[in-house]
Amino acid sequence: DDALQALETILSLNGVAVIPQGERFLKVVPNAVARAEAPQLIEGPVSGLPPSGRVAAKIFHLQSTSAEDAAKLVAPMLNGTLASPPVVFARTNSLLVTDSVANLRRIEAVLLDLDQPKLGVSPKAYALQNASATALEALLRKLFSGPLLGRLSAGTSISVDERTNRLIVVGEPRQHAMFDQLVAQLDVKSN
């Protein structure tokens, strides 16, 4: 098995692919031809396989990321001489990728990391004691469009309830600590 893995890797470096033919035989073809062959379809995680230059295909079923977005991300990672463009199955939100086992392992790791549910948003209200909610909202918008640009996640909103002088922030819970700190520092008595 080790010798076969080494041979597959060396051949892959030289533009030659190895395609299993049943349990006992291998077919050795140029990379350009390997794409047209029916490579082994891997079911289950690729991470359990040793990295090699063997040509294989894997269907990645995505839960939180769209297959179209994943295809755009995966395309530049593919071996240009071996892989074919990812095939998107929009109806099942799946992606078929054909490449070397070593590269499929890397793609699987990236997709597992990225295919996470988006964090939910939750509101948090700050009852201001000293500052005007309207003035504080304007200051925060200025900060987040300037020095703190890029610190807010998409979908974060800052609003004011003038009736109760409250600042209302709707966003990911992990951002609440940052707003807690900012509001505490800015809601102070001034002369």
Side-chain angles (χ1 to χ4, degrees):
D1 286 343
D2 289 344
L4 180 57
Q5 183 180 347
L7 180 65
E8 288 173 339
T9 303
I10 291 169
L11 289 173
S12 175
L13 291 171
N14 290 291
V16 178
V18 177
I19 300 173
Q21 301 292 302
E23 293 291 320
R24 299 182 55 210
F25 298 101
L26 300 171
K27 185 175 186 177
V28 179
V29 297
N31 278 348
V33 175
R35 287 185 276 209
E37 296 287 329
Q40 173 191 7
L41 182 62
I42 298 173
E43 295 180 21
V46 185
S47 59
L49 300 174
S52 72
R54 179 178 289 185
V55 180
K58 168 85 175 138
I59 298 175
F60 295 98
H61 302 284
L62 305 168
Q63 303 299 317
S64 302
T65 305
S66 78
E68 291 84 8
D69 290 344
K72 292 174 191 170
L73 174 78
V74 166
M77 299 171 64
L78 297 174
N79 179 333
T81 63
L82 176 62
S84 54
V87 178
V88 174
F89 301 106
R91 200 181 95 224
T92 60
N93 199 40
S94 301
L95 190 64
L96 173 66
V97 181
T98 304
D99 206 336
S100 67
V101 171
N103 215 18
L104 287 174
R105 285 171 48 106
R106 188 170 62 116
I107 290 166
E108 179 179 74
V110 168
L111 289 177
L112 283 173
D113 190 47
L114 294 177
D115 190 34
Q116 299 296 322
K118 292 178 176 60
L119 296 174
V121 294
S122 65
K124 184 160 186 181
Y126 297 92
L128 303 177
Q129 304 302 314
N130 301 298
S132 157
T134 304
L136 189 54
E137 175 199 25
L139 178 60
L140 289 174
R141 289 188 188 283
K142 187 175 180 180
L143 286 171
F144 285 111
S145 64
L148 297 176
L149 184 65
R151 293 289 309 267
L152 292 183
S153 62
T156 300
S157 69
I158 303 170
S159 304
V160 170
D161 180 4
E162 291 179 3
R163 186 179 54 85
T164 60
N165 197 41
R166 289 181 187 254
L167 185 71
I168 302 165
V169 177
V170 178
E172 293 180 6
R174 65 182 175 172
Q175 292 182 331
H176 290 321
M178 176 181 59
F179 281 103
D180 293 347
Q181 184 180 14
L182 281 170
V183 170
Q185 291 174 355
L186 297 172
D187 186 26
V188 294
K189 288 185 180 179
S190 71
N191 296 331

